Amino acid sequence: MENINYTLDDVLAFDSRFRTTFINSIGGFKTPVLIGTCDKQGHSNLAIFNSLIHIGAMPPLIGFIARPDSVERHTLQNILDTHIFTINHVREEFYKEAHQTSARYAKHESEFEKVGLTPEYQKDCMAPYVKESSIKISADFVERIDLSINGTVMIIGKIRTIHVPTDCVTIDGFVDIEKAGSIAVTGLDSYYSTRSIGRLSYAKPNQPLVPISSVYLE
Amino acid sequence: MENINYTLDDVLAFDSRFRTTFINSIGGFKTPVLIGTCDKQGHSNLAIFNSLIHIGAMPPLIGFIARPDSVERHTLQNILDTHIFTINHVREEFYKEAHQTSARYAKHESEFEKVGLTPEYQKDCMAPYVKESSIKISADFVERIDLSINGTVMIIGKIRTIHVPTDCVTIDGFVDIEKAGSIAVTGLDSYYSTRSIGRLSYAKPNQPLVPISSVYLE
């Protein structure tokens, strides 16, 4: 396979859109999620993010990166105002609707209505979940970290509730998100379904890895 | 599809390993990458990370999260000492070798030798690349952000060089990492190949999305 090498100077000389697409792509596979919020008056908001970050398991923390000068600012402002948000995995059946939430709708237009997804309210949470999602998480805002290097913001939430399909959890705690229908994304707009290659055992020096087979709780 | 709901109290009551596996899984699909570093004496180190983060395109910044109490501490220390690291995407052909780098080898044992991958040195970079990777990036350390909330560390690098297969870049800057053989991961140990569902156009209110077809530069 022949390679082409781009230096920093090449990248800086790229056309702006070409560069954004290029640099986003090489960041690899990510999970598109719909982040559901509401403002203080209860108007719902929904936006797709490709920057979900596992921060830690104990306490259970999850984060994402927002760009305050983009459509993402509504999400950011709502989280800072209400301190609660939901994270909803995207399935192939509604990936176009999910992508459409990235359009610049006016502040009080609900993306749910505009794109055709269904808000779902549960008593534990004033922010809307996405009914069509199979894996849904609610989180309480705990920290905002400003990345001064480029003006983006990392939001960290502590997990409050997790909703997963009953038949997708294995006896060792693994959540089979492929079985749940979650999809992957690269860059800003390229979506993928997945095919499991396999799970591997915990690696130790000088011991062969063994495959882990999935035994589900139910 | 029936759902099961776990509250924060449920999660806190999980067995520690179950919780780690569970919370890592719901963080969704990510890209496993091998981070190559060397210490001041030039001893190479290679470790797998599942926490690659796109920070921004202008300037081109990329980050990851490290756990200083884990095997990842060698990588972290080397980056802080030498200010340079490489990021190498993983292909299905060597995902077991990549996973094996997470074993706790002694400080001066090279994971390259131990797992059977090939260090590749290029004149722009004292940190080793992985010869077997098809997408390889070198980055200069620019910022360390301590996440005091759980003791993890975010490392941000500015991209110095990007190596991609010549036939994987499209005319609009999209890097087709699936075509390059890059794989995805969930949790700590579950690997996936992908199948493209499609790329979608930039979303605008009240305009239908259209598929983007891939026209490669070469």
Side-chain angles (χ1 to χ4, degrees), chain A residues 115-130:
Chain A
V115 310
L117 290 169
T118 316
E120 180 181 80
Y121 290 93
Q122 300 193 354
K123 62 171 185 254
D124 69 333
C125 180
M126 71 183 283
Y129 293 92
V130 176

Side-chain angles (χ1 to χ4, degrees), chain A residues 1-8 11-12 17-31 52-58 60-62 65 67 89 91-92 95-96 99-100 102-105 134 136-137 142-143 145 147-150 152 154 156 158-166 169-175 177-178 182-184 186 189-201 203-207 209 212 217, chain B residues 1-8 11-12 17-31 52-58 60-62 65 67 89 91-92 95-96 99-100 102-105 134 136-137 142-143 145 147-150 152 154 156 158-166 169-175 177-178 182-184 186 189-201 203-207 209 212 217:
Chain A
M1 192 154 33
E2 211 182 329
N3 264 21
I4 182 163
N5 304 336
Y6 296 98
T7 65
L8 177 60
V11 172
L12 296 177
R17 285 204 179 185
F18 187 97
R19 180 173 51 235
T20 299
T21 303
F22 187 92
I23 299 297
N24 268 279
S25 313
I26 59 166
F29 294 104
K30 298 164 290 184
T31 287
L52 196 66
I53 307 168
H54 168 79
I55 305 284
M58 186 60 183
L61 300 171
I62 199 154
I65 290 181
R67 291 166 170 71
H89 283 210
R91 292 164 55 87
E92 182 166 354
Y95 84 103
K96 288 181 182 170
H99 186 75
Q100 183 62 31
S102 62
R104 285 182 174 267
Y105 292 107
S134 52
K136 317 173 203 202
I137 301 160
V142 289
E143 192 167 354
I145 296 175
L147 304 180
S148 56
I149 200 162
N150 71 344
T152 56
M154 185 161 72
I156 300 178
K158 187 195 238 178
I159 290 172
R160 184 193 279 196
T161 316
I162 299 160
H163 308 267
V164 293
T166 309
V169 184
T170 71
I171 53 170
D172 68 344
F174 180 69
V175 182
I177 69 170
E178 176 177 78
S182 300
I183 61 171
T186 68
D189 53 27
S190 187
Y191 298 90
Y192 302 85
S193 61
T194 58
R195 181 186 60 78
S196 176
I197 300 170
R199 281 185 76 198
L200 295 174
S201 57
K204 294 182 180 177
N206 310 315
Q207 284 191 22
L209 293 168
I212 301 177
L217 283 177
Chain B
M1 193 154 33
E2 212 183 327
N3 263 22
I4 182 163
N5 305 334
Y6 295 97
T7 65
L8 177 59
V11 172
L12 296 176
R17 284 205 179 186
F18 187 99
R19 180 173 51 236
T20 299
T21 303
F22 187 93
I23 299 297
N24 268 280
S25 313
I26 60 166
F29 293 105
K30 298 163 290 181
T31 287
L52 196 66
I53 307 167
H54 167 78
I55 306 283
M58 186 61 183
L61 300 172
I62 200 157
I65 289 181
R67 292 168 168 69
H89 283 210
R91 292 166 53 88
E92 183 167 352
Y95 83 103
K96 289 181 182 170
H99 186 76
Q100 182 62 31
S102 60
R104 285 184 173 265
Y105 293 107
S134 52
K136 318 174 204 201
I137 301 160
V142 289
E143 192 167 354
I145 296 175
L147 304 181
S148 56
I149 199 163
N150 72 344
T152 56
M154 184 160 73
I156 300 178
K158 186 193 239 179
I159 290 172
R160 184 193 279 197
T161 317
I162 299 161
H163 308 267
V164 292
T166 310
V169 184
T170 72
I171 54 170
D172 68 343
F174 179 69
V175 183
I177 69 170
E178 176 177 78
S182 300
I183 62 171
T186 68
D189 52 28
S190 187
Y191 297 90
Y192 303 84
S193 61
T194 58
R195 180 187 60 80
S196 176
I197 300 171
R199 281 185 75 197
L200 295 175
S201 57
K204 295 181 179 178
N206 310 314
Q207 284 193 21
L209 294 167
I212 302 176
L217 282 177

Side-chain angles (χ1 to χ4, degrees), chain B residues 5-217:
Chain B
N5 305 334
Y6 295 97
T7 65
L8 177 59
D9 284 342
D10 294 331
V11 172
L12 296 176
F14 283 164
D15 163 78
S16 158
R17 284 205 179 186
F18 187 99
R19 180 173 51 236
T20 299
T21 303
F22 187 93
I23 299 297
N24 268 280
S25 313
I26 60 166
F29 293 105
K30 298 163 290 181
T31 287
V33 289
L34 288 163
I35 297 194
T37 57
C38 62
D39 66 14
K40 287 181 193 163
Q41 288 75 42
H43 297 109
S44 66
N45 189 276
L46 190 69
I48 193 166
F49 284 78
N50 294 348
S51 58
L52 196 66
I53 307 167
H54 167 78
I55 306 283
M58 186 61 183
L61 300 172
I62 200 157
F64 67 96
I65 289 181
R67 292 168 168 69
D69 57 349
S70 75
V71 65
E72 302 173 4
R73 72 194 180 283
H74 295 158
T75 299
L76 189 59
Q77 192 57 52
N78 286 348
I79 292 174
L80 296 174
D81 285 347
T82 64
H83 283 200
I84 179 86
F85 57 104
T86 71
I87 297 167
N88 307 270
H89 283 210
V90 175
R91 292 166 53 88
E92 183 167 352
E93 291 80 351
F94 62 89
Y95 83 103
K96 289 181 182 170
E97 290 82 352
H99 186 76
Q100 182 62 31
T101 63
S102 60
R104 285 184 173 265
Y105 293 107
K107 179 144 178 51
H108 288 312
E109 289 181 309
S110 170
E111 289 80 8
F112 282 105
E113 269 178 48
K114 291 289 172 182
V115 310
L117 290 169
T118 317
E120 180 181 81
Y121 290 93
Q122 299 192 356
K123 63 172 182 255
D124 69 334
C125 181
M126 72 184 281
Y129 292 93
V130 176
K131 187 174 167 47
E132 289 81 358
S133 288
S134 52
I135 296 185
K136 318 174 204 201
I137 301 160
S138 62
D140 290 294
F141 168 74
V142 289
E143 192 167 354
R144 166 193 178 144
I145 296 175
D146 288 285
L147 304 181
S148 56
I149 199 163
N150 72 344
T152 56
V153 174
M154 184 160 73
I155 293 292
I156 300 178
K158 186 193 239 179
I159 290 172
R160 184 193 279 197
T161 317
I162 299 161
H163 308 267
V164 292
T166 310
D167 59 356
C168 292
V169 184
T170 72
I171 54 170
D172 68 343
F174 179 69
V175 183
D176 188 340
I177 69 170
E178 176 177 78
K179 189 174 178 190
S182 300
I183 62 171
V185 67
T186 68
L188 299 167
D189 52 28
S190 187
Y191 297 90
Y192 303 84
S193 61
T194 58
R195 180 187 60 80
S196 176
I197 300 171
R199 281 185 75 197
L200 295 175
S201 57
Y202 186 81
K204 295 181 179 178
N206 310 314
Q207 284 193 21
L209 294 167
V210 291
I212 302 176
S213 33
S214 291
V215 182
Y216 297 93
L217 282 177

